[in-house]
Amino acid sequence: MAFQKAVKGTILIGGGALATVLGLSQFTHYRRKQVNLAYVEAAGCITEPVNREPPSREAQLLTLENTSEFDILVIGGGATGCGCALDAVTRGLKTALVERDDFSSGTSSRSTKLIHGGVRYLQKAIMKLDIEQYRMVKEALHERANLLEIAPHLSSPLPIMLPIYKWWQLPYYWVGIKLYDLVAGSNCLKSSYVLSKSRALEHFPMLQKDKLVGAIVYYDGQHNDARMNLAIALTAARYGAATANYMEVVSLLKKTDPQTGKECVSGARCKDVLTGQEFDVRAKCVINATGPFTDSVRKMDDKNTADICQPSAGVHIVMPGYYSPESMGLLDPATSDGRVIFFLPWEKMTIAGTTDTPTDITHHPIPSEEDINFILNEVRNYLSCDVEVRRGDVLAAWSGIRPLVTDPKSADTQSISRNHVVDVSDSGLITIAGGKWTTYRSMAEDTIDAAIKVHNLKAGPSRTVGLFLQGGKDWSPTLYIRLVQDYGLESEVAQHLAATYGDKAFEVAKMASVTGKRWPIVGVRLVSEFPYIEAEVKYGIKEYACTAVDMISRRTRLAFLNVQAAEEALPRIVELMGRELNWDDYKKEEELETAKKFLYYEMGYKSRSEQLTDRSEISLLPSDIDRYKKRFHKFDADQKGFITIVDVQRVLESINVQMDENTLHEILNEVDLNKNGQVELNEFLQLMSAIQKGRVSGSRLAILMKTAEENLDRRVVIPVDRSCGGL
């Protein structure tokens, strides 16, 4: 009665299809002028995009509301859901996709950023002679190669080092890694190789030297996960799928099959989260691709159905780029508790993770201090003692919920499926669950194959192997040079735009504002230390960004790279979005507060603030306390016991340094723990104690006061830029 297949996968519910818009005669001429409806006939497989640019969100909503019936409705806008929409629409099926939040707002944006076959799965396949694990790795390696081909601007091969500290491990791991190359076959990115101790330290100089025997280097892929997810969604929209974010499924629609007398799922009641408007979206087939929320949709279909999702939280942290080489990652295959930790360069920073702990399902997962410290301790084990791994260097931290699943048709319903599962309920709801990012395309193919079979849809085979995603077709490694030459962008900004938007980077460059400087000519940055520019905010709205959180976390990746920098950019981002979306002052303030709350809880800012509070202990030697008191009193000349902006200005003026009052206020506010507008001696000592312990780094006040003390007589300029901005 049900089509059942176990395969690797990711959970998604979404929709995208060729939208044949019916009944438009009822719409007024005014509304016709306001929106360009996506108008597509479902007539055979689509070989070229039907839209030069993705239709606006307003146009997509009208298509969803006024199409009499879609072939496929996908619920979920993560990688798998968007993959299902793209697979369906390119087969000629009339497709729709709805997502309760933003595209890639859940697990798909919170991954390790790797496109990999799974070295550890191959190890298990060999040790346990498990053919299913072997097939899973082989398929993932095929999908890895395909993803690197269809989105070359968003992905690239990455060498990953496996350091060896025991001689017997060298042949053991070498054989395993060589088998990984062998299984990849023609899809092998580059052959793995062995490094001597000295060569390993040349490539990874911050590595722990003691007892190091050598290292093995192998290759996997790396990508910008949220942007990749968005590229899949935008590509589906260009091919004719009606895709809409911030559309929540309130309930499933059902009708009675006249032939069997059974109730069948026939669509969904959807609610626009931004406006509150509700309407029905009808479809011959509904696909549940909602990741961790799989069971909530399944229970809309049958409230008595058993849960199949067993969520697991994976925490990652981001640290300054100097913690790792620019083009070499590190794999710790056996941590203190048996987990695997990756330590990788990403977006000129260093990403470390992940953990794997049972968790409750929530829309807003929060990284725990325990998990952050676990990762830091594992990193310390592999880095040289010359490198002080500080808690204060954690620039961002996040938790993603991995949707592990059990197979509902398996005899052992408690065992976790290592592959993805495609399940069809008695009423025809198709659920795709489990799996991993790398295999989103094959998961989508299996899901649409099942939909075609179960619901007797007329469509051909999948066409997504080799199908370029948005921005990939005309990208080249030298594209950024044209951006520099044609538009006068900084080289770093041009490289960023090319790597983010591919051949669409020129459209962003055209929107860039003139800087008023000799160089760069255009491209005003949102924040000084990152190459994101203001034009990306305007372009992000064309990419369906609706909120400030969308912009700082998924159109740009500021929130994932440095939460302090993201907070610094927020006011300008809200201002620019408000101008484009006609927000009033109340809406702007609401967006600002919501985004700050997101940074505080979901991106690690809360953990940062807890490293220095008015309850923090002062653990300093008496000699250190005396030294810091003397430094403090150079600013507190009249022995008040606290310093204010006036005190700092007085010292700066004495050494001929000018600084605006707003900047000084920000600097003092970072240390003003009781928020009374001044920094007491005790607060300053708490700060210095936290810095000594590595809990805080990059304190502008500490740097300013130290430099002032050293240079009062030399009258030199004091650097006060944020140093790394660590948490």
Side-chain angles (χ1 to χ4, degrees):
M1 169 157 240
F3 178 95
Q4 175 65 35
K5 185 173 182 182
V7 226
K8 358 174 208 309
T10 306
I11 302 172
L12 298 148
I13 299 183
L18 304 177
T20 304
V21 182
L22 303 177
L24 293 182
S25 58
Q26 300 97 319
F27 285 87
T28 64
H29 175 67
Y30 174 77
R31 291 195 75 183
R32 284 178 181 272
K33 288 181 68 178
Q34 292 302 304
V35 244
N36 243 337
L37 291 179
Y39 189 86
V40 184
E41 296 292 343
C45 294
I46 306 301
T47 57
E48 292 293 332
V50 297
N51 301 307
R52 184 177 178 276
E53 296 295 334
S56 68
R57 182 175 182 272
E58 185 181 11
Q60 296 285 45
L61 292 177
L62 286 175
T63 302
L64 285 169
E65 184 178 4
N66 296 288
T67 299
S68 58
E69 186 180 51
F70 290 95
D71 294 319
I72 300 281
L73 168 63
V74 182
I75 305 169
T80 306
C82 292
C84 287
L86 181 58
D87 190 282
V89 75
T90 51
R91 298 195 200 201
L93 294 169
K94 196 186 304 182
T95 307
L97 180 147
V98 293
E99 160 60 43
R100 186 194 66 87
D101 204 298
D102 185 26
F103 301 114
S104 195
S105 59
T107 308
S108 295
S109 64
R110 305 176 189 225
S111 72
T112 311
K113 323 303 179 193
L114 284 177
I115 310 169
H116 62 124
V119 174
R120 55 179 173 166
Y121 296 122
L122 182 60
Q123 179 188 30
K124 292 177 182 177
I126 296 170
M127 299 299 290
K128 299 181 180 180
L129 300 178
D130 189 331
I131 190 65
E132 183 185 357
Q133 292 264 21
Y134 168 79
R135 287 172 179 161
M136 182 177 72
V137 173
K138 189 167 183 64
E139 183 179 29
L141 289 170
H142 171 267
E143 294 301 323
R144 178 189 70 178
N146 181 67
L147 197 49
L148 288 167
E149 178 185 349
I150 65 177
H153 57 304
L154 291 170
S155 60
S156 61
L158 176 71
I160 299 176
M161 180 183 291
L162 179 62
I164 305 297
Y165 287 92
K166 296 179 181 177
W167 280 108
W168 68 265
Q169 291 179 334
L170 192 58
Y172 174 78
Y173 284 122
W174 182 83
V175 170
I177 295 298
K178 280 300 175 185
L179 284 172
Y180 193 59
D181 292 347
L182 185 63
V183 172
S186 61
N187 294 320
C188 182
L189 302 179
K190 190 175 179 181
S191 183
S192 58
Y193 54 92
V194 176
L195 290 175
S196 66
K197 176 179 179 177
S198 60
R199 290 285 291 162
L201 291 172
E202 282 181 27
H203 286 281
F204 211 118
M206 55 284 293
L207 201 60
Q208 173 65 260
K209 303 177 183 67
D210 295 343
K211 299 182 180 179
L212 181 68
V213 172
I216 300 172
V217 176
Y218 73 99
Y219 286 78
D220 256 326
Q222 188 177 52
H223 69 152
N224 186 333
D225 52 4
R227 292 294 315 183
M228 185 74 79
N229 193 156
L230 184 62
I232 300 168
L234 294 170
T235 306
R238 289 184 63 210
Y239 274 87
T243 62
N245 54 352
Y246 293 99
M247 285 297 292
E248 180 180 7
V249 170
V250 178
S251 61
L252 296 178
L253 305 177
K254 292 189 176 183
K255 66 180 181 182
T256 302
D257 188 322
Q259 295 181 341
T260 64
K262 289 176 52 180
E263 271 199 336
C264 298
V265 174
S266 59
R269 181 72 175 176
C270 298
K271 176 183 178 181
D272 187 337
V273 175
L274 303 179
T275 66
Q277 179 190 9
E278 292 189 16
F279 54 83
D280 293 339
V281 179
R282 299 194 177 275
K284 296 171 184 175
C285 171
V286 176
I287 296 173
N288 172 10
T290 50
F293 306 98
T294 295
D295 290 322
S296 62
V297 176
R298 293 175 73 244
K299 289 182 185 296
M300 288 183 186
D301 175 36
D302 177 5
K303 63 181 180 181
N304 296 318
T305 193
D307 290 347
I308 63 170
C309 185
Q310 297 189 21
S312 174
V315 171
H316 295 81
I317 63 174
V318 167
M319 306 177 77
Y322 56 71
Y323 273 94
S324 67
E326 288 186 11
S327 58
M328 178 77 75
L330 183 76
L331 167 64
D332 178 356
T335 63
S336 56
D337 66 351
R339 291 184 277 194
V340 172
I341 289 286
F342 286 98
F343 193 62
L344 312 166
W346 183 67
E347 299 287 319
K348 298 188 178 180
M349 295 295 180
T350 301
I351 183 174
T354 178
T355 59
D356 185 7
T357 52
T359 186
D360 295 327
I361 295 175
T362 172
H363 290 289
H364 306 289
I366 298 173
S368 71
E369 186 64 22
E370 180 182 357
D371 283 333
I372 292 172
N373 284 320
F374 167 80
I375 296 171
L376 288 173
N377 287 332
E378 294 303 324
V379 169
R380 289 187 184 100
N381 292 336
Y382 272 85
L383 295 190
S384 167
C385 57
D386 295 334
V387 180
E388 183 185 358
V389 180
R390 304 180 298 181
R391 175 61 181 82
D393 282 338
V394 177
L395 308 176
W398 68 85
S399 176
I401 300 178
R402 185 184 178 198
L404 305 174
V405 293
T406 56
D407 186 343
K409 300 298 187 292
S410 172
D412 182 7
T413 58
Q414 297 302 311
S415 63
I416 298 291
S417 175
R418 289 164 294 190
N419 298 326
H420 64 263
V421 172
V422 178
D423 178 65
V424 183
S425 72
D426 291 341
S427 60
L429 174 69
I430 295 181
T431 294
I432 168 67
K436 60 181 181 178
W437 224 119
T438 306
T439 56
Y440 84 90
R441 193 213 62 82
S442 63
M443 292 167 58
E445 180 179 347
D446 291 335
T447 305
I448 302 305
D449 284 345
I452 292 169
K453 180 177 180 179
V454 172
H455 293 279
N456 298 314
L457 303 175
K458 294 181 180 179
S462 175
R463 301 173 61 86
T464 50
V465 172
L467 180 73
F468 278 106
L469 298 182
Q470 167 109 335
K473 187 174 182 180
D474 295 322
W475 175 87
S476 74
T478 58
L479 182 147
Y480 80 94
I481 297 175
R482 288 178 55 198
L483 292 171
V484 175
Q485 294 176 337
D486 294 353
Y487 294 94
L489 288 162
E490 291 177 82
S491 181
E492 183 186 12
V493 170
Q495 289 175 349
H496 154 68
L497 294 181
T500 302
Y501 304 96
D503 57 33
K504 299 294 181 183
F506 296 99
E507 297 180 19
V508 184
K510 290 175 185 176
M511 296 179 177
S513 304
V514 175
T515 64
K517 302 176 182 178
R518 183 184 63 80
W519 189 263
I521 299 171
V522 301
V524 178
R525 294 195 182 208
L526 288 168
V527 64
S528 61
E529 63 262 53
F530 290 96
Y532 298 107
I533 60 175
E534 292 183 355
E536 293 181 76
V537 178
K538 186 175 181 180
Y539 191 78
I541 293 172
K542 293 180 62 176
E543 296 180 321
Y544 304 129
C546 299
T547 70
V549 172
D550 297 345
M551 203 64 72
I552 62 174
S553 59
R554 294 174 287 274
R555 301 311 180 279
T556 72
R557 305 310 306 274
L558 268 175
F560 283 81
L561 294 170
N562 188 317
V563 292
Q564 285 184 290
E567 184 183 47
E568 185 178 310
L570 263 177
R572 182 58 177 160
I573 288 173
V574 169
E575 181 184 346
L576 292 168
M577 292 188 74
R579 190 181 302 166
E580 295 294 321
L581 298 173
N582 298 316
W583 289 345
D584 58 21
D585 290 341
Y586 176 81
K587 176 63 175 175
K588 290 178 184 177
E589 186 63 29
E590 181 182 53
E591 284 293 321
L592 195 60
E593 290 306 311
T594 299
K596 286 182 177 180
K597 185 177 179 181
F598 168 78
L599 293 173
Y600 185 76
Y601 289 105
E602 296 186 49
M603 301 309 300
Y605 221 146
K606 180 176 184 292
S607 295
R608 179 262 183 190
S609 65
E610 291 172 350
Q611 300 308 308
L612 180 63
T613 71
D614 55 4
R615 297 180 300 278
S616 297
E617 292 183 1
I618 299 174
S619 301
L620 296 169
L621 295 173
S623 57
D624 288 332
I625 292 177
D626 290 341
R627 178 158 53 94
Y628 294 138
K629 280 183 176 179
K630 289 178 182 177
R631 183 177 302 170
F632 185 85
H633 289 140
K634 288 185 182 294
F635 287 76
D636 180 23
D638 44 7
Q639 306 292 308
K640 303 183 301 296
F642 61 85
I643 58 176
T644 64
I645 290 177
V646 174
D647 295 315
V648 178
Q649 284 177 325
R650 176 182 51 77
V651 173
L652 294 180
E653 287 172 2
S654 72
I655 55 175
N656 299 321
V657 173
Q658 300 295 321
M659 191 176 301
D660 69 88
E661 191 168 322
N662 288 335
T663 301
L664 284 175
H665 177 75
E666 290 176 5
I667 291 174
L668 264 68
N669 192 54
E670 292 173 0
V671 189
D672 180 12
L673 304 179
N674 55 17
K675 303 305 176 188
N676 62 355
Q678 56 197 32
V679 175
E680 283 95 7
L681 173 61
N682 200 59
E683 290 173 325
F684 178 66
L685 294 177
Q686 287 173 317
L687 168 66
M688 301 313 297
S689 180
I691 289 173
Q692 278 200 7
K693 292 178 181 177
R695 292 178 180 172
V696 172
S697 67
S699 167
R700 291 188 283 179
L701 181 64
I703 294 171
L704 184 149
M705 294 180 70
K706 178 183 178 182
T707 311
E709 182 183 48
E710 294 172 348
N711 297 286
L712 272 172
D713 295 328
R714 286 181 285 169
R715 304 293 192 267
V716 298
V717 176
I718 302 173
V720 294
D721 290 341
R722 181 174 60 245
S723 172
C724 301
L727 300 185

